Amino acid sequence: MSFGDPNNPYGPPQGQQPGYGYPQAPQGVPPQGAYGYPAAPPASPYGPYPGAPYGAPGMMAMPGTIKAARVMLWIVGILQILVGLGIAVGGSFLVNEVDGSGSSAATAATGLFIGMGVFVAALGIWGVVIAARCANGRGGIRVSGIVYGSLLTLSGLSNLGMAESMGTNRSGSLVGLVIGILIIVFFSKADAGAWFKRPRY
């Protein structure tokens, strides 16, 4: 018996090619998974995470607003640390130069300058920590960013009022005020909420 025999019950049905019952690839198209040709990636039953780039399920890019707020936090935080150190050290030095007698007034003034410097530097450290945690932080970092932006806004308003009453330059106060408002807006947006609530893999 041969497979070409039409009366052979074990041969392929007449008019059919061997491999009947299996879908055949079109001519010239290599089968998926063949040597040298990558197979199609398995499709996730849940689909990609909303906002994820195509082909990378579960991955989500950091929103541009959070990136911008992060840069602002780095800059403002580092500047506040430097300013705080300057207030503490420079103020103490100035008091000692003006009144080196060690009187109670000089001691109180030195303590005031040191306290103000530590407070400003602590705010700067807080801003730097928020900036560093934007990539992996949860909702608490988002709330901290909004609170920090609110304090920065209030500080800008206060400095603006003082500059107005003293007739000094208001540009620095305006910059701080605008940055504080932008940080609040950026951390309050919906894409920021989605970023800090995203599932971790």
Side-chain angles (χ1 to χ4, degrees):
M1 272 190 267
S2 69
F3 286 107
D5 185 357
N7 297 319
N8 180 6
Y10 301 105
Q14 292 298 315
Q16 300 291 336
Q17 298 295 326
Y20 170 75
Y22 297 94
Q24 301 296 314
Q27 291 293 329
V29 178
Q32 292 290 326
Y35 179 74
Y37 297 94
S44 170
Y46 306 104
Y49 185 80
Y54 177 75
M59 300 296 292
M60 182 179 180
M62 182 185 291
T65 52
I66 296 300
K67 290 181 180 179
R70 192 181 190 190
V71 171
M72 294 178 190
L73 286 167
W74 277 115
I75 295 173
V76 173
I78 292 173
L79 286 176
Q80 283 181 324
I81 292 173
L82 295 176
V83 169
L85 292 175
I87 291 174
V89 175
S92 301
F93 178 78
L94 181 63
V95 170
N96 289 331
E97 285 294 317
V98 172
D99 184 2
S101 62
S103 63
S104 58
T107 303
T110 301
L112 179 63
F113 277 114
I114 292 175
M116 290 173 56
V118 170
F119 177 73
V120 174
L123 286 178
I125 293 172
W126 183 22
V128 168
V129 170
I130 296 171
R133 295 288 296 158
C134 278
N136 301 314
R138 300 276 183 176
I141 295 298
R142 183 188 182 201
V143 174
S144 294
I146 293 173
V147 173
Y148 181 87
S150 301
L151 291 177
L152 199 60
T153 302
L154 291 175
S155 175
L157 286 173
S158 175
N159 293 336
L160 191 62
M162 290 177 60
E164 184 79 23
S165 62
M166 298 174 63
T168 57
N169 191 355
R170 299 176 296 172
S171 58
S173 303
L174 285 172
V175 170
L177 177 62
V178 171
I179 290 177
I181 293 173
L182 287 176
I183 290 174
I184 296 172
V185 171
F186 289 162
F187 274 99
S188 301
K189 290 176 70 68
D191 56 355
W195 170 253
F196 288 106
K197 292 178 183 177
R198 74 194 187 282
R200 307 302 201 270
Y201 295 96

